[in-house]
Amino acid sequence: ERLLETPSLAVSQCKNVTRKMIELAKEGINTALSLISEYSEESFSFVKECEDKTDKYEDLLGSYLVKLTQKDLSTADSREVSELLHLIGDIERMGDHALNIAEAAEEINEKKIKFTGDAEMELETLANATKEIVSLSISAFDNNDTNAAVMIEPLEQVIDNLKITLKSNHVKRLQEGRCSIETGFVFSDIVTNCERISDHCSNVSVYIMQRGKDSIGGHEYLTEFKLTSDLFREQVAEYSKKYSVQ
């Protein structure tokens, strides 16, 4: 509380706490994804603990940031506080999606659900892509790296495409009688939550793109980047090869 009297230091400390929060979300996500193929009660409890902590971080940090808005802030600090308020919401939601994935893994374990070999391969591919986009987001945030932030978008696009492909493949397997409706529900839950994690990672990249800018906003910049950049198309092609499914 004493830092509130020195707003610039308080803002800096809020960024440090946000960094801890996003690292915690990453640990929860990676552990949740590992539960799909190798379930354990200990790991499930860890994911739940991470989600609880990110909730508390959001509550406490959000309240603190609101108090900061009532102080005499510089223009830059005021913008930073506003952006952090949005960002911690995205991080908290990432923790929620990690718990959703863990709960799907718990259901797989309890009901002895078996995926086809193709479905297992597809989920592993999507999990690896999700882990990478989360790592990219944290690295970009830690280093305030605009170039790294822009590179998040091609992978987010590939994960969007993967979601469509995986759900289409699941429908084909269902029509062919190779999987059950119950299996499909769990499969779909995991795919949806991975895609939503990538959406929140995209918002992290927007936060980094917007920092210190008064002109074009992050969303506008990234929209233009997707429409006009050869680099974006090249990166999408590379990630598509890396995370390819049939």
Side-chain angles (χ1 to χ4, degrees):
E1 293 290 321
R2 67 183 183 277
L3 286 178
L4 288 170
E5 301 311 313
T6 315
S8 61
L9 289 178
V11 172
S12 179
Q13 183 60 16
C14 285
K15 286 160 56 181
N16 291 335
V17 175
T18 302
R19 183 175 291 110
K20 292 178 183 178
M21 184 181 177
I22 197 170
E23 285 283 357
L24 191 64
K26 174 188 175 183
E27 291 177 15
I29 290 165
N30 287 349
T31 303
L33 291 168
S34 72
L35 285 169
I36 298 169
S37 58
E38 190 172 344
Y39 185 84
S40 78
E41 290 294 338
E42 182 180 1
S43 293
F44 179 88
S45 296
F46 177 75
V47 177
K48 184 68 172 68
E49 181 182 346
C50 288
E51 193 270 341
D52 287 341
K53 286 182 177 178
T54 54
D55 282 351
K56 290 175 182 175
Y57 267 112
E58 186 193 26
D59 288 342
L60 294 170
L61 190 52
S63 297
Y64 191 86
L65 286 164
V66 169
K67 288 181 182 179
L68 263 177
T69 63
Q70 299 163 8
K71 300 296 180 178
D72 186 18
L73 298 172
S74 68
T75 301
D77 282 342
S78 179
R79 184 168 51 240
E80 185 83 57
V81 167
S82 176
E83 291 164 357
L84 284 172
L85 277 167
H86 286 96
L87 181 61
I88 62 173
D90 281 298
I91 300 170
E92 188 273 334
R93 291 297 295 141
M94 290 165 70
D96 289 345
H97 292 306
L99 181 58
N100 290 344
I101 292 169
E103 288 173 343
E106 182 182 44
E107 184 176 354
I108 291 168
N109 180 66
E110 289 178 349
K111 295 181 178 179
K112 308 300 182 188
I113 291 172
K114 297 293 183 184
F115 292 116
T116 64
D118 288 343
E120 287 181 349
M121 180 275 293
E122 290 168 1
L123 287 178
E124 182 179 2
T125 300
L126 179 61
N128 289 335
T130 303
K131 290 175 183 177
E132 180 166 357
I133 199 170
V134 172
S135 292
L136 277 172
S137 300
I138 291 176
S139 177
F141 181 84
D142 281 347
N143 300 305
N144 193 29
D145 188 340
T146 301
N147 291 329
V150 170
M151 291 301 98
I152 291 167
E153 292 307 303
L155 183 50
E156 192 268 340
Q157 180 65 60
V158 168
I159 291 173
D160 281 351
N161 295 343
L162 274 174
K163 180 188 77 169
I164 295 168
T165 300
L166 266 56
K167 290 195 172 185
S168 174
N169 287 351
H170 160 66
V171 170
K172 290 178 185 176
R173 286 190 290 268
L174 193 61
Q175 291 171 338
E176 294 167 358
R178 293 197 290 135
C179 72
S180 67
I181 292 176
E182 184 177 52
T183 301
F185 281 138
V186 177
F187 182 87
S188 181
D189 282 347
I190 294 170
V191 172
T192 297
N193 279 284
C194 285
E195 188 270 334
R196 288 179 180 168
I197 287 170
S198 77
D199 286 344
H200 292 296
C201 288
S202 176
N203 290 341
V204 174
S205 75
V206 169
Y207 159 81
I208 295 164
M209 295 305 306
Q210 288 181 154
R211 290 191 67 195
K213 288 185 173 62
D214 291 318
S215 55
I216 187 168
H219 285 291
E220 290 82 359
Y221 180 92
L222 291 173
T223 297
E224 182 179 350
F225 175 67
K226 289 179 180 181
L227 291 173
T228 64
S229 173
D230 290 336
L231 178 60
F232 176 78
R233 288 186 285 273
E234 290 167 5
Q235 287 298 120
V236 168
E238 294 227 357
Y239 281 128
S240 295
K241 289 179 185 176
K242 184 175 182 178
Y243 298 112
S244 173
V245 296
Q246 298 300 318

